[in-house]
Amino acid sequence: MAWFGTRGTDSASLLAFPEFYATFSQTAPLSAVSVPGEWCLETMTGRRVDLDTYDIDEDTSTAARELRRQLLEVLRTPAVVVPYRPSRLLSSACFLAADTVEYLGQFIDAQVALEHKPWVESELRRAGVPVVEWTYYTPDDLSRLRDRLDLARTPLVVRRNRSAGGVGFGVAHNRDELALNVAEVEGEEFVAAAPYLHPNLPLNVGACVFADGTTTVHGASVQLIGVPGCTTRPFGYCGNDFGTIRDLGRGELEELDGITRRVGAWMAARGYRGAFGIDALAHDGRIVLMEVNPRFQGSSALAATLAYDAGLPDLFLEHMAAYLGLPPGPALSLREWVAEQPCKAQVICHNLARAPEPVAAAYAPDGARCAMLPAPGVEVDPDAVLCKLVVDGRATDDGFTLCPAVDQAVRRAVDSLCVLRPESADIPPAAERELVPA
């Protein structure tokens, strides 16, 4: 069994299989002694890239070519490959080794359409799924968007067609801010705009769809978005809180459950199988779909750990079952999952400096449980993930700010790794603030 993903650590659930032989990743190596072969670009280059802007299919470096060579070597013997998400590199390798490889994932050409947000959202809206009311503008028709902003009573969210981790999202209050956001999506065939729904609670659900359209849910969380001190991006992904989601009412959880299953049925009708996720917003007593993620997600690894702790099958197991023709696990509702999952959270900290920064030490700061720590001397690119803090209990109340104790633990963790913060962060030196562990 081999894993191919953006982060090696995401494959921890596969350690339960004695057949787990190799892992290939771009960042955050798994470093498990029971896995004989591990190849990670971060280890090979001494650099941790920003996964929200890096594309392994565009990487022509010596290290990327070596990663592909090692992958082909592993696939010379019978193997099962589990992907985080498709890529041209992985699709071509599995195609060349089709006689010996069972590929448990979509091929890249089948995936591309499901990542084109205007088409997916328009189709889901026709299928009766409540979706954020995006309006699409061509680059030649931006005067209408400027006029709309002038008349709007609320700011507009501006978004590109394909995005990840909050890249390509921005808020425009006026024409100057609109111009900046439109410049960031230059080259796209559409620019999407929607009213900024405020207040809102950002939500995330993991799920798995089977060939017959059966969809199983795998936990839900409040998503951490644009948290100051964790990211420089207004809508940057900063983690998940699996405890605060319990604040949603029964009706809202049932609505979120229904949306997830309708999305799964729609994807199955188009040949999709396996893990996927949705991002949604709770706003004004309703749940609306924000976007669909046809892949594993940043929340998947922790959700799998929580499922194991609760004695439930995790998303990685069900993903494999969906491709191997095995039946799904227990048919739990999302409300039952939320009641069963332990109250934990993860906070993703990014490098806020505007230049690559070498980390000083790969150890967890006192009182905090850190994961995805770079090895000493690894250079962390701007906006790349610096580390992940796992928190017992809640991390947020609203999805956009951290609880005080968690916020201080995050600052302490970042300071201990000696990565510079921008001057605009206005953060006092460590000696001037109380440090409370998570």
Side-chain angles (χ1 to χ4, degrees), residues 1 80-83 101-106 296 319-321 323-324:
M1 180 185 295
V80 169
V81 178
V82 182
V101 168
E102 184 79 25
Y103 176 54
L104 307 186
Q106 297 278 304
F296 286 103
H319 173 89
M320 296 169 68
Y323 276 92
L324 294 172

Side-chain angles (χ1 to χ4, degrees), residues 11-217:
S11 65
S13 289
L14 302 183
L15 292 171
F17 292 89
E19 298 85 359
F20 189 18
Y21 177 82
T23 173
F24 299 86
S25 61
Q26 287 122 68
T27 67
L30 178 62
S31 301
V33 294
S34 62
V35 180
E38 174 158 22
W39 292 269
C40 180
L41 287 176
E42 178 179 313
T43 305
M44 298 163 72
T45 63
R47 174 192 173 201
R48 177 172 288 190
V49 297
D50 172 17
L51 292 173
D52 297 327
T53 56
Y54 171 83
D55 185 347
I56 193 169
D57 288 332
E58 302 297 328
D59 189 343
T60 59
S61 67
T62 301
R65 291 198 298 271
E66 176 63 14
L67 186 79
R68 183 176 187 274
R69 189 186 72 80
Q70 293 290 352
L71 174 64
L72 288 170
E73 187 66 28
V74 167
L75 299 187
R76 291 183 188 278
T77 57
V80 169
V81 178
V82 182
Y84 177 86
R85 68 182 302 167
S87 65
R88 290 199 303 273
L89 185 156
L90 180 60
S91 293
S92 62
C94 289
F95 178 79
L96 291 172
D99 292 338
T100 56
V101 168
E102 184 79 25
Y103 176 54
L104 307 186
Q106 297 278 304
F107 283 94
I108 184 64
D109 288 337
Q111 184 86 358
V112 169
L114 292 173
E115 292 188 337
H116 191 255
K117 299 182 187 303
W119 176 70
V120 171
E121 292 157 358
S122 299
E123 290 292 301
L124 287 173
R125 190 177 291 113
R126 292 191 187 98
V129 176
V131 180
V132 170
E133 292 294 332
W134 297 103
T135 302
Y136 304 101
Y137 302 86
T138 67
D140 297 328
D141 197 25
L142 294 181
S143 60
R144 285 200 307 121
L145 178 54
R146 287 189 288 268
D147 293 341
R148 177 185 174 186
L149 180 61
D150 290 340
L151 298 173
R153 296 182 179 180
T154 61
L156 295 180
V157 178
V158 181
R159 191 200 69 190
R160 65 174 58 166
N161 294 338
R162 304 177 192 272
S163 62
V167 174
F169 277 81
V171 177
H173 294 79
N174 53 53
R175 286 192 172 217
D176 290 339
E177 291 181 354
L178 178 62
L180 290 173
N181 281 287
V182 169
E184 290 188 0
V185 299
E186 186 176 356
E188 297 281 342
E189 57 266 44
F190 299 107
V191 175
Y196 180 53
L197 303 179
H198 180 79
N200 71 75
L201 188 67
L203 309 172
N204 176 260
V205 181
C208 183
V209 63
F210 289 73
D212 65 355
T214 299
T215 299
T216 57
V217 293

